[in-house]
Amino acid sequence: MKLAILSRNTRLYSTRRLIEAARLRGHAVRVLDPLRCYVRIAPGALAIHYKGRALKNFDAVIPRIGTHSAFYATAVLRQFEMMGTYAPNPSDGVLRARDKLRSLQLLASAGLEMPVTVFGDNPDDTDDLITMLGEPPHVIKLNEGSQGTGVVLAEKRSASRSVIEAFRGLYANFLVQEYVAEAQGADLRCFVVGDKVVAAMRREAAAGEFRANLHRGGTASQVELSPQEEAVAVRAAQVLGLNVAGVDLLRSARGPLVLEVNASPGLEGIEASTGVDVAGLVIAFIESRLRRD
């Protein structure tokens, strides 16, 4: 198999592990910076070039697309798809997951439970917007933030109003969500490959912090999921059209709630906390799909 990995940094743990796993299984791998790819769009004459040379005959492409390069990188990914290259996470699925608002709307339409979420644009509607959500605490988050950035906990109604006004002043797109107190600052990262959860960890927020992200000082440990939690995680990935996803759940009094779906989930925390060769399972899944097709 000839495999491409779209990644801006070959030194990142996740990129390195995918390279190692693919080469261990005898595949040729090339890492491509998506921002150095450029394309030709014409009927019957699609092309991708990279640093002056044409890219051809790749069997599969794995996108590792960050927030800041999402628009351009997904266009490059789409070009690969149009040229017949298999992508476990297609461009449309990556874009659905990248937009928190869109992903939550799609998940809700599929009947998946999540924290109650509101959004609005006009300052005149702020008080009613907060009333629609309910009493604080509220979690206010940027629509395209990642790794816990742009997420604020407001414990009073006045604080929610102030943060909303501040985000509006920055012309930022944001969501406001209920705070699920019974989760106690912890969430579940479920790593989905294909139609199963291959590894799961429980992330706990550091003292004085409400965000459980490992980049925010949180800690992780292996966790046993209930059948319902596994089913919700797999269904969430499927709704967004992803075969490789990190699905974040909250344990609540009303059952598992989908917090977020990540189309480029990191491998370091999940492999370290569970001991599972997640990178190898991703490569094995791609092999199985190419054999089937």
Side-chain angles (χ1 to χ4, degrees):
M1 179 171 66
K2 185 178 179 182
L3 175 67
I5 301 174
L6 294 182
S7 174
R8 300 223 58 216
N9 189 346
T10 58
R11 295 186 298 273
L12 292 175
Y13 177 91
S14 299
T15 302
R16 288 191 290 107
R17 283 289 297 121
L18 289 167
I19 294 169
E20 292 169 3
R23 288 179 176 166
L24 187 64
R25 301 173 75 93
H27 304 302
V29 189
R30 187 173 181 187
V31 178
L32 304 171
D33 179 347
L35 299 190
R36 292 299 307 273
C37 296
Y38 45 104
V39 306
R40 181 177 190 268
I41 305 170
L46 299 170
I48 305 175
H49 281 218
Y50 187 76
K51 297 182 180 180
R53 296 190 175 184
L55 297 174
K56 297 179 180 179
N57 304 319
F58 282 93
D59 298 298
V61 56
I62 300 175
R64 299 290 309 174
I65 294 174
T67 301
H68 300 298
S69 62
F71 175 80
Y72 191 92
T74 49
V76 172
L77 177 60
R78 189 179 305 112
Q79 187 84 353
F80 271 106
E81 295 172 67
M82 293 168 64
M83 294 171 63
T85 303
Y86 171 71
N89 283 351
S91 53
D92 285 346
V94 174
L95 287 172
R96 291 185 200 106
R98 183 61 61 189
D99 184 336
K100 289 187 176 69
L101 172 59
R102 184 183 181 191
S103 66
L104 289 174
Q105 289 175 314
L106 292 169
L107 293 168
S109 69
L112 290 166
E113 292 289 341
M114 63 191 64
V116 176
T117 303
V118 299
F119 75 99
D121 183 69
N122 196 300
D124 293 341
D125 302 325
T126 298
D127 284 336
D128 192 44
L129 184 75
I130 294 174
T131 299
M132 288 170 65
L133 180 59
E135 291 304 308
H138 301 142
V139 178
I140 306 165
K141 59 177 66 173
L142 293 176
N143 192 38
E144 294 186 348
S146 62
Q147 298 177 348
T149 59
V151 181
V152 179
L153 177 64
E155 299 191 16
K156 296 182 179 179
R157 189 182 181 97
S158 58
S160 295
R161 189 183 300 107
S162 296
V163 175
I164 289 171
E165 291 172 355
F167 277 180
R168 283 209 181 104
L170 296 171
Y171 300 100
N173 294 315
F174 61 90
L175 308 172
V176 190
Q177 292 183 317
E178 68 169 313
Y179 176 67
V180 183
E182 61 266 33
Q184 300 180 332
D187 67 16
L188 308 176
R189 164 55 65 89
C190 311
F191 205 107
V192 176
V193 178
D195 60 357
K196 63 180 66 176
V197 176
V198 298
M201 62 181 175
R202 183 176 188 268
R203 302 183 297 191
E204 295 188 59
E209 177 62 80
F210 77 99
R211 295 167 293 185
N213 305 74
L214 301 185
H215 288 84
R216 299 289 156 188
T219 57
S221 58
Q222 188 171 13
V223 68
E224 190 75 24
L225 299 179
S226 69
Q228 183 186 15
E229 288 166 343
E230 288 194 26
V232 167
V234 171
R235 178 63 178 149
Q238 291 174 339
V239 167
L240 297 189
L242 302 172
N243 286 300
V244 177
V247 180
D248 296 339
L249 304 179
L250 293 178
R251 283 177 167 166
S252 79
R254 60 183 189 268
L257 307 179
V258 181
L259 190 61
E260 190 172 337
V261 181
N262 193 318
S264 296
L267 300 179
E268 187 169 11
I270 196 79
E271 289 194 335
S273 60
T274 66
V276 176
D277 177 14
V278 177
L281 292 172
V282 171
I283 301 301
F285 171 79
I286 294 172
E287 291 172 345
S288 68
R289 288 303 294 264
L290 290 176
R291 284 195 299 267
R292 192 177 74 181
D293 296 341

